[in-house]
Structures are given as C-alpha cells and as structure tokens.
C-alpha cells in the first residue's frame, strides 16, 4: 500500500506523530508547528494504514470553523465524503448523541436548545417565580452560577451551599431552573455536555456501544478542555480506545472560562502507556521572536518542556517603546502603521493587541484622525459597546430630557420595578397627545393615571434625572460622567456581575470617565457654542459612526490578547505592557493567575511573523485615573540582546506633573506665570479662581473654578486668561 501521499509533506517530528502506534499519544505542539496538519494526516493514517473505517473515528475540536476545515481536508486526502463522520465540536457531537438517544436521556424527541439570551430570559422567569428582586439578584449572576456548576458536572442536588445564604439562594434558582427546563423540553449549551456525559455514564449498554464504535479518538486544543469535557472523553475512550490529543500547555489561557491546564498535565497519569511527541519547529515567526517567546515562558514553573525553533532568518529585533503617556503610545503606534502603509505593505497584516478592551479607545481615536480603516476583532468599537451606550443615553437625558430614544433605553435600566405595561402606557399616552415620553410621563404623574408601582418607578426616574441635572451643573465633564454612572446605578449594576464580561463592562465605564477627562483637556478651547457635555456627546456619536472598515476593505486589526489566539500577522504591536495592566492586577491576587498571564503574553508574542513591537507608558490615564506603573515584568524577562529600545530611558524624563507634586506645582507656576488661587477672567466663562495647574510651556493647562460655569480645564496657550 502506497501511503506516501499522507506523510511526504511532513517534517520528521510531524511524521513521528502521524505514524505513531495506535495507543495514547500526547502531541505537545508549539505555536505555528503545524498541529492541524498533524491531526488531519493522523486521521488519514489510521484509516488507510490501520484499516479503520472513517466512521469509527471521533475527532473533537473547539470551533465549528475548525471542524469544517478538518472535514474538508480529510475528504481531500481520503477521497470520501466526511459528512457522516464524527468530526465536530464538543457541543455539536454531544447534541448529535442526545438526538440519537433522546429517550434514554430523558428528553422529548423534539427538544430545543436555548441560546445564551434565551437562557437568560428563562432565568428571569425563575427569579420572578421565586419573587427575587433583579436589582439585588442580577439574572446574569444566576446564569453564570448555573453554567459554572454544569461545567463542573454538578446538578443542583450535588452543590453544597453550606451556611452561605447567597449560595443557598443560587442553588434554589438552579433547582427551579432545572425543573422549568425539564417541563419545557429545552436544554442550554452547558446541559448538552452534562446530559451527554450522564447518558453514557449511567447507561452501561450505550457506554459499551460507543466505546466499541469509536476505535480512535482525536482531540484538538486539548489544553483548553474543562472538567466535564475531559470526563466525557475518558468515558468514551474506556480502557481500550487509543486517544490522540494535541495541545500546548504554554498556550493554556482560558482558566477564567473553566479550562483546566491540569488535564494536559495529568494525561500521562490517566493514560499510563502514553507516548509524548514534541512539535517544536515553527513555520511562522523569525528566530528572534521565537527566542524571545522561549525566554519568557521559561519563567513558568511545572511546564512540560518545549523550545520553539526555526531554520528561517533571525529577523529584526523586538522593538520596545516606553512612551510618556497613553497618547504618546498611540501616536507612536499609528506612526509606525503609517510607515508600514507607505512601504506598500497591507493594513491587513497589522494587529494591535491589548490586555483590556477599554484600551482600544485611544487607538480608535488616532486611527480615525489619520483616516486609517480598522476593525475591532471579535468586539465592538468603544462607543458602540452596550454599557457605554447606556451611560451616553443617561448623559443625553441630562442635556435633553425630550430625547425619546434615550428615555426608552434608560427608563428601566438598571431595573427599577417598571413593567413593560407601564412603559407601553407612557408610550401610548405620548403618541396620543403628540408629546415626548418625558413630557407624557410628567403628565401621567400629575394626573395620577399610573398604578402605585408604576408611579413609584416613573417618579423615581424623573427625580433621578432632575437631581443629576442639578448636581452636575458645577462639575467638570469627567465628573459629570462619573456622577451619572454612579447615581444611575449603572456602576452597582455591573459590579454585581462577577464574570469576566462584567469586569470588562466596569472597566469600559471607568474608561468613559477617562475619555471625558481627555476631552476637557484637548477640546475645551475650541468649543464656543456648545456645553462640554453636548460637545462630548456629539464627539461620541461621530466616533461611533466612523473608522470601522467594511468587510472588503483592508484594515488594521485591534483585539485583546485572548482574541488573537489562532491568528498570525506580519506586524504585531503589544501595547500597555505595564505592571497592573499586563500582567493584570488580579494576577497578583489569585493563585496561578500570574503564570496564565505569562502564557497569554507568550501567545501574543508568537502571533508575530516578521516584527514584534512592544510598548508601555510612564503615566497612563485609564478608567478615569492617572497611574504611574512600572514597565511590565514580561518585557524585563525578554533577553536584552533581542530587544532594541527605541528611546532609551536615560534620554528622556517624566513630564513635570509626574514628579513630586509640590516641586512640580512650583516649577509649573513659574513657567506659566500663574499661580493656584489667582483670580482670572475668561472671554466666555467669566471670572473664576485657578485651582490646579499642570504641564509646562505650550502644553500647560489650568483648572479654573468659574463663578457661573463651574470647574473647567483649559489649554493655557488658547485660553487667553486675564488677571481679574
């Protein structure tokens, strides 16, 4: 039998993995080492050489896209239709199993699957049935708890809540939710795996059937499996079926999502005859980039051991830019992208990677200003994110309560006890009287046409908006935004969501305050006929409507470090490389998190093919606050001979306002000829008192508390302040 077409294109180590004996095999596949190729050729090998039917092979991956690609390439090599093969995602294969054995699984034949939104709606129904206030018990928290329990293989009856009153209530929600799903004949995504596991675990005949049917099991991205996925695989394999897993312990970055790095570390223990094969030859990056990645990841303990290498060129050194602040960092990155374009290179080849979604705003603004198309990969632009739109809607209500769109978005968000019927009544009254929703709500309150509960909800909303309007008049723009986020309950609402998404939303709201501060600094002097708030809202609307590229257009990719896994780009920027940001401040608080942060950095580095540029900022205004962070330990862990610092630290100093506050203020006052406490007059805002000064010369700015206009930051070069 001529099987050369299966292995001829492989290197020695790939060939060793593909042709290994039919027993447990763990392939430690480094980034860019051809793991997908190995998996596909292994399927072809066991079918053609070991004589297995393609339909007796189970191949599991994590995305539908990867599964589709795998089926297509197997079809090409074997020359058969792979449509009936058991190749798919964990959830897809579990669903197939449950459809085939719906009776044994205790499901109706036509059971339906709830997506995440449907599941959340059902959780809300459970809360209503249990008379739980969604303000105190966020439905998303209950949804997260249910899914977390299922991912750990736990039914409500198995969860030990102890004396924890909150956990006891969440267990009751889970129990009621289970009963409601069973009555309705529906299951959620987490249930697919749990129900499938229980099906083969508790049914001896079915378990025996599948252990005999699947004569070879292959798993992609094995380091990303969670507890229930691994248990499902071990049950299907039984004592005889060879299991061939491909993964990389150095790229395990989804611990917060339930992935267990222990699965890959314990594979040899659970399958004692395992053969371990390492794929270390990288076909993606220059040797300089690979050496940097290897040096970084060596700082992690308990690794299974692997060093990436290439027979390609050394390539350019890793470039490091230590910026003055986040604006200097963004300017530097966009300048480099512009140079890349000017050399005739494609924008599609450029990725800007950051640890936190909130960091995208600064780069979006600079890209828009330069007219460079971009796309936020796997996410929304900053001003299009739901939590930002929530806050902006409240801010619009402060400036214009007649704004019906903003009224509808904010009237019951966060929940304030208003039902849909009450909102519909306001809407119908407004339509009938040709009034705005705000005016209609006022009239309904005055004429006592609302139920007691609706009256309480509507009046509390009206009072809230009115009070914020009054309290915010004397505040600077950023403080108006902060007051709005806190007073409306948005901050508290998202603080109750303990998931990664909840934290991202909180960070984005804090960054909106930072956007307000930047706007005060940069745009105040140019605005004559609009309030700062109105100008900022107009700016936000314009930013939301520009910049994001069309699907067909060449564009720069902006994305988080987590989103970039599986992708590669000739030019990669890793920005915000500072202690507290990356590694994230949480990593110092939770066991094992620092090593996962380092693996995340390793993933980012190994995305770069030709050039890697890393950057940090001496002072960063993020989430509305200035922070002075040390350069990330991850940069310091890169070998000095591989890194070229574009602007060595010795050649520049911090801006004056970043040193000792007392010295800085005295020096700044001498430089600009003004002093804190001095009375001044402005052509638009009238008389006021200087309460703060920052910067020097043309970059100096002053904060003035005006008698009629409140506190404002002004660029001194344009403000034309006169002693009063």
């Amino acid at each position: 039998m001529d099987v050369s077409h299966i292995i001829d294109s492989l290197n020695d180590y790939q060939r060793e993995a593909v042709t290994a004996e039919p027993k447990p095999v763990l392939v430690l596949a480094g980034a860019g080492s051809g793991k997908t190729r190995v998996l596909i050729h292994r399927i072809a090998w066991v079918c053609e050489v070991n004589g297995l039917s393609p339909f007796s092979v189970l191949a599991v991956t994590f995305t539908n896209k990867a599964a589709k690609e795998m089926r297509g390439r197997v079809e090409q090599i074997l020359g058969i239709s792979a449509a009936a093969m058991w190749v798919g995602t964990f959830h897809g294969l579990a669903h197939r199993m449950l459809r085939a054995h719906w009776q044994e699984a205790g499901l109706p034949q036509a059971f339906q699957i709830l997506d995440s939104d449907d599941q959340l709606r059902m959780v809300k129904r459970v809360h209503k049935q249990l008379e739980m206030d969604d303000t105190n018990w966020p439905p998303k928290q209950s949804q997260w708890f249910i899914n977390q329990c299922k991912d750990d293989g736990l039914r409500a009856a198995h969860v030990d809540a102890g004396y924890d009153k909150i956990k006891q209530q969440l267990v009751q929600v889970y129990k009621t939710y289970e009963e409601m799903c069973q009555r309705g004949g529906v299951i959620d995504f987490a249930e697919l795996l749990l129900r499938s596991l229980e099906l083969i675990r508790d049914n001896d005949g079915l378990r025996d059937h599948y252990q005999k049917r699947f004569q070879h099991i292959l798993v992609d991205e094995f380091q990303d499996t969670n507890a229930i996925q691994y248990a499902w695989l071990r049950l299907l394999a039984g004592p005889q079926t060879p299991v061939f897993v491909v993964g990389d312990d150095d790229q395990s970055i989804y611990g917060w999502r339930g992935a267990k790095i222990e699965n890959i570390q314990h594979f040899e223990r659970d399958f004692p005859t395992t053969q371990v094969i390492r794929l270390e030859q990288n076909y993606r990056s220059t040797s300089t980039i690979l050496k940097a990645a290897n040096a970084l990841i060596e700082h992690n303990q308990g690794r299974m051991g692997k060093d990436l290498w290439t027979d390609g060129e050394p390539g350019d050194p890793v470039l490091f830019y230590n910026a003055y602040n986040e604006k200097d960092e963004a300017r530097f990155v966009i300048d480099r992208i512009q140079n890349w374009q000017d050399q005739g290179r494609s924008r599609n080849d450029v990725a800007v990677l950051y640890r936190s979604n909130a960091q995208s705003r600064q780069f979006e603004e600079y890209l828009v200003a330069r007219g460079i198309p971009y796309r936020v990969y796997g996410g929304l632009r900053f001003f299009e994110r739901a939590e930002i739109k929530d806050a902006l809607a409240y801010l619009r209500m402060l400036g214009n309560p007649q704004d019906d769109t903003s009224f509808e978005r904010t009237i019951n968000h966060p929940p304030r006890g208003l039902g849909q019927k009450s909102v519909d009544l306001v809407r119908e009254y407004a339509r009938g009287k040709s009034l705005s929703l705000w005016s209609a709500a006022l009239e309904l309150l005055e004429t006592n046409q609302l139920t007691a509960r609706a009256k309480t909800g509507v009046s509390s909303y009206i009072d809230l908006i009115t009070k914020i309007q009054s309290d915010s008049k004397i505040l600077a723009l950023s403080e108006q935004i902060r007051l709005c986020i806190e007073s409306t309950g948005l901050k508290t609402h998202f603080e109750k969501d303990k998931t990664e998404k909840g934290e991202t939303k909180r960070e984005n709201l804090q960054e909106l305050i930072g956007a307000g501060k930047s706007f005060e600094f940069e745009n105040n002097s140019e605005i004559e006929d609009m309030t700062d708030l109105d100008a900022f809202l107009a700016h936000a609307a314009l930013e939301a409507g520009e910049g994001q590229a069309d699907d067909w257009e060449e564009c720069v990719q902006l994305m988080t470090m987590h989103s970039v896994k599986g992708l590669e780009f000739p030019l990669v920027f890793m920005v915000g490389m500072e202690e507290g940001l990356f590694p994230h401040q949480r990593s110092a608080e939770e066991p094992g998190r620092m090593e996962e942060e380092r693996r995340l950095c390793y993933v980012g580095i190994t995305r770069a093919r030709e050039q890697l540029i890393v950057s940090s900022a001496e002072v960063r205004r993020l989430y509305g606050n200035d922070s002075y962070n040390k350069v990330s330990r991850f940069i310091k862990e890169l070998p000095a001979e591989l890194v070229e610092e574009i602007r060595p630290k010795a050649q520049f100093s911090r801006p004056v306002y970043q040193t000792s506050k007392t010295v800085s203020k005295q020096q700044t006052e001498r430089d600009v000829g003004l002093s804190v406490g001095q009375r001044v007059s402005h052509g638009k805002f009238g008389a006021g008192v200087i309460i703060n000064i920052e910067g020097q010369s043309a970059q100096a700015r002053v904060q003035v508390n005006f008698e009629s206009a409140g506190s404002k930051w002004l660029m001194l070069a344009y403000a034309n302040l006169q002693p009063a």
Side-chain angles (χ1 to χ4, degrees), residues 32-96:
S33 63
K35 67 179 181 62
T36 304
R37 169 186 290 251
V38 164
L39 274 167
I40 291 162
H41 286 252
R42 174 67 171 182
I43 294 173
W45 182 267
V46 298
C47 290
E48 293 216 354
V49 176
N50 299 131
L52 299 187
S53 163
F55 309 108
S56 68
V57 173
L58 175 71
V60 193
T61 187
F62 272 82
T63 67
N64 289 315
K65 179 182 177 183
K68 183 179 180 182
E69 178 187 357
M70 192 177 291
R71 278 194 298 269
R73 290 173 66 179
V74 168
E75 283 182 346
Q76 287 180 338
I77 296 175
L78 294 180
I80 62 165
S81 171
M85 287 181 65
W86 283 72
V87 177
T89 64
F90 280 99
H91 290 96
L93 295 171
H95 173 242
R96 181 172 175 178

Side-chain angles (χ1 to χ4, degrees), residues 219-265:
V219 188
D220 192 12
E221 302 286 8
F222 185 64
Q223 77 281 347
D224 293 335
T225 53
N226 62 23
I228 196 167
Q229 289 164 344
Y230 190 35
W232 185 76
L233 288 167
R234 291 180 66 187
L235 267 179
L236 287 175
Q240 302 296 329
T241 304
V243 181
F244 184 96
V245 300
V246 181
D248 183 359
D249 56 321
D250 291 333
Q251 295 189 72
S252 179
I253 60 174
Y254 296 119
W256 51 273
R257 198 188 283 174
K260 303 285 188 185
I261 191 172
E262 296 88 350
N263 292 347
I264 194 168
Q265 293 170 337

